[in-house]
Amino acid sequence: MLDVFGRHVAERGFERANFGDIAAELGISKGTIVHHFGTKSVLLRELQERYMRRRLAEAETLLDNTAGADEQLAALIYAFVNYQVVDRTSTVAFQREVVQLLDDETLATVRRQRADYRRLVRDVIRDGIDTGLFRRCDEDIVSLYIFGSVHWMWTWFDPDGHAPVDHIASEYVATTLRGLVIDDSRVERLSDPNGTIAELVRHTLEAANDNHAVQR
């Protein structure tokens, strides 16, 4: 039910997704969905909480396996972009309905998860400043810039388009790091789509995706 609902939200938006279409696709009654979830808001909550749990776990894995704020931020940005392919339906469903998080009490936990995620990125930027890797900047603004630019990719990115996701991720990493690092001699290596950081991200996301498939 969650997977079908997520696809409908990704394709149509939350307001146009409805229990009738979900039930018809699954060959069940609408009452079955109501029994398990009650309302669309609860379905959205379950979908988004599951999504954020996975993203936070992956982020922690990436941070544990990288050294230095520049490597960590590069890995996180690679992951942010690759979600448009690796977990596209859930990513689009999450990102296009982020406005639902603003004041819906049902989604309070998701708001906290998103705040934790943003704090994680902000702490990486702060660590880069404190250790002399990054120029002094407003880490709040920079973190919002990163999330804002990546989280609107669903509006223009085409997985079958002419620009492969690794190329786009590389450009995002290079552009962001060049605006932050004091010594940009490492940027080319960190933004290399065939480099160790990109490979770490691919391995981490593939492992997490395989584990998620087994759990389902």
Side-chain angles (χ1 to χ4, degrees):
M1 290 184 235
L2 279 175
D3 290 339
V4 173
F5 173 70
R7 177 162 49 77
H8 285 208
V9 171
E11 293 172 353
R12 311 174 186 180
F14 177 74
E15 294 301 329
R16 295 176 62 193
N18 63 79
F19 284 177
D21 290 341
I22 297 169
E25 181 171 334
L26 293 172
I28 60 177
S29 69
K30 288 194 291 184
T32 300
I33 302 175
V34 173
H35 172 73
H36 284 284
F37 295 101
T39 67
K40 277 204 310 181
S41 290
V42 173
L43 262 172
L44 186 66
R45 180 196 70 196
E46 295 296 319
L47 184 73
Q48 296 201 347
E49 286 184 14
R50 183 179 69 173
Y51 182 83
M52 284 306 307
R53 283 195 299 269
R54 294 177 63 193
R55 301 295 82 96
L56 284 163
E58 289 156 358
E60 292 293 347
T61 298
L62 292 173
L63 295 185
D64 288 343
N65 287 278
T66 45
D70 53 353
E71 286 193 4
Q72 292 180 330
L73 190 60
L76 290 170
I77 294 172
Y78 261 111
F80 297 162
V81 175
N82 271 276
Y83 292 142
Q84 297 291 335
V85 171
V86 173
D87 195 13
R88 180 162 179 77
T89 298
S90 294
T91 296
V92 174
F94 182 85
Q95 292 176 352
R96 75 176 294 164
E97 296 302 334
V98 72
V99 69
Q100 297 287 337
L101 299 175
L102 296 179
D103 54 14
D104 189 333
E105 284 305 311
T106 306
L107 302 174
T109 297
V110 187
R111 284 196 293 274
R112 288 194 295 271
Q113 290 172 316
R114 289 183 70 245
D116 289 342
Y117 201 36
R118 186 180 157 216
R119 187 178 304 112
L120 182 149
V121 173
R122 195 169 62 234
D123 287 348
V124 169
I125 297 170
R126 166 52 58 184
D127 182 63
I129 296 169
D130 292 342
T131 56
L133 285 171
F134 294 164
R135 298 181 177 87
R136 298 202 66 80
C137 64
D138 186 325
E139 60 266 29
D140 286 316
I141 299 299
V142 174
S143 65
L144 286 170
Y145 155 76
I146 293 170
F147 282 118
S149 60
V150 175
H151 283 187
W152 280 97
M153 274 186 65
W154 70 271
T155 64
W156 58 264
F157 174 70
D158 179 2
D160 300 318
H162 70 281
V165 70
D166 284 342
H167 171 72
I168 296 173
S170 174
E171 290 296 322
Y172 266 86
V173 171
T175 301
T176 303
L177 287 185
R178 286 197 180 104
L180 286 173
V181 296
I182 294 173
D183 175 9
D184 66 0
S185 62
R186 285 159 51 92
V187 172
E188 185 174 354
R189 178 180 69 81
L190 295 176
S191 62
D192 181 0
N194 298 309
T196 56
I197 297 298
E199 183 57 32
L200 168 66
V201 171
R202 283 191 287 268
H203 175 75
T204 300
L205 299 191
E206 287 170 4
N209 197 50
D210 290 344
N211 183 58
H212 179 63
V214 169
Q215 291 177 350
R216 285 163 56 193

